[in-house]
Every structure is written in C-alpha cells, then in structure tokens.
Amino acid sequence: PTTPTWDIVSANDEIRSGLDKADAQGGYVLLLGLKDRRTMSHALSATDCNVIAVDANAEKVSSFRKWLHRAGLHRDQATVLVGDPLSCPLPPLLASLIVCDDISLVTKREIDHSHLQSIARLLRPYGGPACLRTSEAEREQIQTAFQRAAPPGVKLKVTEHYAMLTREGGLPDAADWSHAAGNAANAGASQDRFLKPPLGMLWFDGSLRWHRKPGSAEVRISGGRAIVLADRMHAIDVFTGRRLWQRGLPPGVTSRSQLVVVGKNIFVGA
C-alpha cells in the first residue's frame, strides 16, 4: 500500500502541540529538502511562522521561488535557499519546527549520529520538534545512531511513518536569571554551565533602547524568554530575538519596579 500524504502541520496533533510548547507563533519553520509543494503550502497556511527551505538542487530551488512569487508570498514569509540542508550556515537553535519529507534526500547515505547532531543543532529548545519522514530501515538507522550518541537534551519518538526529535526543555546545564541578583538566593552570579568560549553574536535588535541607559530597565531570563521591563513590558525569544509580545505597564509599575520571572509566571512589585 502507498504511504498516505503526510499533512505535517494541519493534521498532526503531536506536532501542533510541539509548536505550542515552543512559542512558535511568528517563529521559524525549516524545511530540509524540497520534495513537493504540499508541505510548504501546509506550513504557510496553517501557521504564522516564517518558512525557510534548503535544498541542494538549484533547479528545484528556482522552481519553488517562481511558484512563491506567482503566489504573491513575500520573502519574509518564505525563503528558499540553495545548499546542503545539514551544513547550510543557518543560526543554531533557530527552528520551532523542522520538517523533512524524505530523509534520504538530505543524508545521501546511511544515517549516523552526525546527521542527528546537525539537525539537533538547528532545533529551538523548549519543545521544538524535528519531524523526519522515513522508511522502516531509515527509522532503524536513526534509532541505532541515537542510542550510540544522542544529542544532549534531545528525545526521540518513532511512529509508523516518521521519526521525531524534540528538545523538551532548555539547553543542558543552562540557567535562568529570574531575580535582580540572579536567583532567589541572591547569588549575584549566573549558575549557567552551558555557555563556553569562543562566543559570538547570535542576534541583535537595536530598536529597544533600554541597553543605552543603565538602570532604565529590568531584564530577566526564564524559559527561553527575555522579559524586559522598560516603558512597556516586552517578551523576546532569547534564541532568535523575535518579539513574542509586549504590554503596557499596570498602574504604579515603572521600569525600576521589582521584577521576578519564574517559568511563564511574571511577578511585578508596584
């Protein structure tokens, strides 16, 4: 029997749940390889994410770009790049959802731990799923590779037609900055053990001017979000810099008010 069409976004409840957990609204969906237009159509119609597709076939990429242009889709909604999907220099921790319609188009050989590491590098923490459509033999290869060298902080789930890699929590040994002095113990230092040199800039947003005036804002880091208390309250994705939301301040609250953020709970002292 033929494999049913994989309606990756609009029909799969588990993937929808993963997107919700990953704060995917307005985030990035990454398509590894281009098999046909249905998956991109589903991603564009069923989410408000920005879709990035990468394929090594320049002719196929050109065809997809023309199709997107005829459909009137802006480049901020969908971008199609020429390159090796697993080595294209995309920022790490970018994707709220990764979709691969045919893993053989991407790996070109037997799947090993290096392929899984390359995919995991692009996954956003806190629920970002990578959904890989596979044959039975490919699923066995993925399970074997995962057992030998699982990417840190990543879980694997295998079903009838696909394998799904998920980052369910934060980065291994990473820590939040929930209080003014780091944590509830007023340690005055970060407990983070993940970040190590050499370091580089992941993203930059100059539209928030709070960083130019020391003391003009309070900033907390929790659950993959930066909460900024300035003239308004802002929530920013720490991995991509995208704005999650902003709100006006309640009466009596200023940029110098006490701010504590634990998980998704925000406490402000008037």
Side-chain angles (χ1 to χ4, degrees):
T2 59
T3 301
T5 299
W6 197 34
D7 192 341
I8 188 67
V9 174
S10 60
N12 194 298
D13 292 337
E14 290 187 75
I15 295 168
R16 275 195 169 288
S17 176
L19 286 172
D20 291 339
K21 292 178 183 177
D23 280 331
Q25 183 177 1
Y28 299 93
V29 172
L30 179 58
L31 306 184
L32 301 180
L34 295 169
K35 189 172 183 179
D36 58 44
R37 298 170 183 172
R38 287 175 294 181
T39 300
M40 180 173 283
S41 295
H42 292 321
L44 290 168
S45 63
T47 76
D48 64 352
C49 295
N50 302 297
V51 179
I52 302 172
V54 185
D55 194 282
N57 188 317
E59 290 184 5
K60 188 182 293 186
V61 167
S62 178
S63 175
F64 266 72
R65 286 173 175 171
K66 291 175 181 177
W67 167 66
L68 290 169
H69 180 72
R70 289 194 299 268
L73 294 169
H74 194 269
R75 64 185 178 184
D76 288 343
Q77 296 172 276
T79 302
V80 187
L81 305 174
V82 179
D84 182 340
L86 296 185
S87 62
C88 185
L90 294 169
L93 312 176
L94 171 72
S96 297
L97 171 64
I98 295 176
V99 177
C100 181
D101 271 337
D102 186 345
I103 193 69
S104 66
L105 297 177
V106 174
T107 59
K108 307 296 185 184
R109 57 182 172 83
E110 183 172 325
I111 301 168
D112 60 28
H113 71 278
S114 66
H115 297 122
L116 302 186
Q117 296 284 355
S118 296
I119 294 171
R121 169 188 170 274
L122 298 168
L123 268 180
R124 184 189 184 277
Y126 297 98
C131 307
L132 316 173
R133 189 175 186 180
T134 54
S135 66
E136 182 177 354
E138 290 165 341
R139 288 191 292 277
E140 291 177 356
Q141 292 172 19
I142 289 175
Q143 288 177 303
T144 300
F146 193 86
Q147 290 169 357
R148 289 178 178 173
V154 175
K155 292 188 176 181
L156 171 66
K157 181 176 182 178
V158 175
T159 62
E160 185 179 2
H161 298 298
Y162 66 91
M164 185 160 70
L165 301 172
T166 307
R167 287 190 184 274
E168 293 189 348
L171 294 169
D173 297 323
D176 293 339
W177 189 283
S178 58
H179 295 62
N183 54 27
N186 289 321
S190 172
Q191 303 301 307
D192 192 287
R193 297 291 182 271
F194 174 82
L195 196 63
K196 297 178 177 63
L199 305 178
M201 184 178 293
L202 185 60
W203 57 268
F204 177 79
D205 184 351
S207 62
L208 281 176
R209 300 306 177 102
W210 52 269
H211 61 283
R212 295 192 177 185
K213 297 180 180 179
S216 66
E218 293 288 333
V219 182
R220 305 289 182 264
I221 308 296
S222 180
R225 300 178 302 161
I227 304 298
V228 181
L229 178 61
D231 57 334
R232 298 174 64 83
M233 185 174 289
H234 306 263
I236 302 169
D237 180 3
V238 300
F239 303 109
T240 65
R242 61 191 170 90
R243 303 290 184 88
L244 300 175
W245 51 261
Q246 62 176 332
R247 302 284 189 273
L249 301 183
V253 174
T254 72
S255 62
R256 296 180 181 273
S257 296
Q258 289 292 321
L259 175 64
V260 173
V261 181
V262 180
K264 292 192 175 183
N265 300 306
I266 300 173
F267 306 92
V268 181

